[in-house]
Amino acid sequence: MTQAEADSWREFYNQFPFDDFHRYLRPAALAATAQNSKNRGEAIKAALEWLQPKSSPNSTGWSDAELRSFAAHGVTPPPRK
């Protein structure tokens, strides 16, 4: 893989993360609350918290899933904006 392609994939991941939260948990929360039109925002928030409890905070600003993805690719996470 060329450096340009790696940079392209990094930018794609920054725009469209493909961690478990975005691939599975958020869509599941949306589906679970689709029938409830009252307080949908709060219902989605509650479903997301139930599906993915908050992990221990870290000083990087990246989620645990994101940090594992960086580690798997041998990349040091950039500073969080």
Side-chain angles (χ1 to χ4, degrees):
M1 177 184 305
T2 65
Q3 184 63 46
E5 184 178 359
D7 292 342
S8 175
W9 277 111
R10 185 177 305 117
E11 181 60 30
F12 179 83
Y13 178 81
N14 287 335
Q15 292 180 17
F16 308 102
F18 40 91
D19 58 7
D20 287 346
F21 180 81
H22 291 89
R23 289 178 55 210
Y24 304 114
L25 302 177
R26 191 163 191 278
L30 292 171
T33 60
Q35 300 300 317
N36 182 7
S37 61
K38 288 185 177 182
N39 299 323
R40 182 176 293 183
E42 288 300 316
I44 291 171
K45 186 177 178 181
L48 285 170
E49 287 175 4
W50 181 81
L51 287 166
Q52 185 181 39
K54 295 199 183 301
S55 60
S56 60
N58 59 56
S59 61
T60 65
W62 296 98
S63 72
D64 291 339
E66 290 168 324
L67 291 174
R68 285 192 302 272
S69 293
F70 284 124
H73 291 94
V75 176
T76 302
R80 190 69 174 200
K81 295 178 184 177

